[in-house]
């Protein structure tokens, strides 16, 4: 599969550092490229996400992003939530063939057959896991200590040893549509790592 970049958007000058936002406070450049990104950057990206259902949602959305821009997913997130029963694992695990047909006909989401099928298969798989196991597994790959804060987007990695190991373990357990780069995007988005730039106003929001 085609893997996605680890930050939601890349500006034309990836070596650029934090830039002033509408309020004058410095932010990661990608967070200033659209209003949707600004809100997401300031309130969600890099903040800790816990709970099996919440992490299942992020896992699914990162998979749907593969080959697309994150803003395409972000702007359809409420439609995704409506289509997939709020990403409640137990509910999605009960989806029928009729539900699959409904999803593939839904213009509010990404109607990619492989991605839809992977989401349904993953829900059925995860529904059999003990409560809290997905959360514990994903967070077990959070680095025990933070490295140097990136000063520019060029300093932000696309993949790490931890994301490679996480993707390998998820695949080993049967999770579909996950690779090292997508796993790292998940780690960034859910706060396992803090890849806000050193001078970004949102730096320091990641953690357990």
């Amino acid at each position: 599969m085609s893997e996605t970049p680890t930050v939601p958007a890349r500006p034309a000058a990836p070596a650029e550092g934090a830039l002033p936002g509408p309020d004058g406070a410095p932010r990661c450049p990608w967070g200033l490229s659209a209003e949707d990104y600004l809100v997401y950057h300031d309130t969600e990206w890099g903040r800790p996400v816990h709970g099996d259902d919440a992490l299942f949602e992020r896992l699914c959305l990162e998979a749907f992003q593969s080959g697309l821009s994150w803003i395409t997913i972000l702007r359809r997130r409420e439609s995704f939530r409506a289509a997939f029963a709020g990403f409640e694992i137990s509910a999605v695990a009960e989806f029928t063939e009729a539900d699959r047909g409904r999803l593939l006909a839904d213009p509010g989401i990404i109607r990619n057959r492989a991605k839809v099928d992977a989401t349904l298969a993953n829900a059925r798989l995860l529904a059999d896991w003990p409560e809290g196991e997905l959360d514990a597994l994903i967070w077990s790959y959070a680095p025990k200590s933070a490295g140097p804060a990136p000063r520019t987007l060029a300093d932000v990695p696309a993949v790490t040893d931890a994301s490679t190991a996480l993707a390998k373990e998820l695949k080993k357990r049967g999770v579909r549509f996950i690779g090292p780069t997508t796993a790292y995007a998940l780690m960034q988005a859910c706060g396992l790592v803090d890849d806000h730039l050193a001078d970004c106003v949102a730096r320091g929001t990641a953690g357990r």
Side-chain angles (χ1 to χ4, degrees):
M1 74 175 186
S2 135
E3 294 248 40
T4 56
T6 56
V7 293
R10 295 262 188 201
E16 199 164 37
L19 299 174
D23 59 358
R27 289 174 173 82
C28 303
W30 65 263
L32 302 173
S33 58
E35 179 62 28
D36 306 73
Y37 274 150
L38 180 62
V39 175
Y40 177 67
H41 170 276
D42 285 4
T43 64
E44 292 189 62
W45 194 75
R47 294 176 184 266
V49 175
H50 283 284
D52 291 346
D53 289 343
L55 288 166
F56 173 63
E57 175 182 353
R58 297 303 185 94
L59 186 65
C60 294
L61 294 180
E62 293 294 349
F64 272 103
Q65 183 201 0
S66 182
L68 303 170
S69 66
W70 177 245
I71 204 163
T72 299
I73 305 302
L74 195 58
R75 288 174 173 168
R76 299 186 184 202
R77 184 161 57 169
E78 291 308 315
S79 295
F80 270 106
R81 286 172 171 169
F84 286 98
F87 289 100
E88 182 181 344
I89 295 172
S90 60
V92 180
E94 297 297 323
F95 276 17
T96 64
E97 187 62 27
D99 287 307
R100 178 176 180 271
R102 169 181 59 80
L103 293 167
L104 292 174
D106 188 344
I109 66 170
I110 304 302
R111 292 174 289 181
N112 179 289
R113 192 177 303 274
K115 295 175 182 180
V116 168
D117 287 346
T119 300
L120 301 184
N122 287 341
R124 293 175 189 129
L125 173 77
L126 296 172
D128 289 334
W129 288 21
E131 183 177 354
E133 184 167 350
L134 179 62
D135 186 306
L137 171 61
I138 289 175
W139 275 91
S140 71
Y141 287 87
K144 291 182 171 50
S145 59
R151 303 210 64 85
T152 72
L153 291 186
D155 298 327
V156 179
V159 64
T160 65
D161 290 344
S163 75
T164 300
L166 173 58
K168 182 178 180 180
E169 182 61 24
L170 287 170
K171 283 183 177 181
K172 178 182 175 182
R173 295 193 181 206
V175 175
R176 294 168 54 178
F177 228 94
I178 183 72
T181 307
T182 298
Y184 193 62
L186 178 74
M187 293 172 70
Q188 290 176 304
C190 295
L192 281 74
V193 295
D194 186 352
D195 275 344
H196 285 286
L197 300 186
D199 296 327
C200 177
V201 68
R203 177 78 190 174
T205 55
R208 293 182 179 273

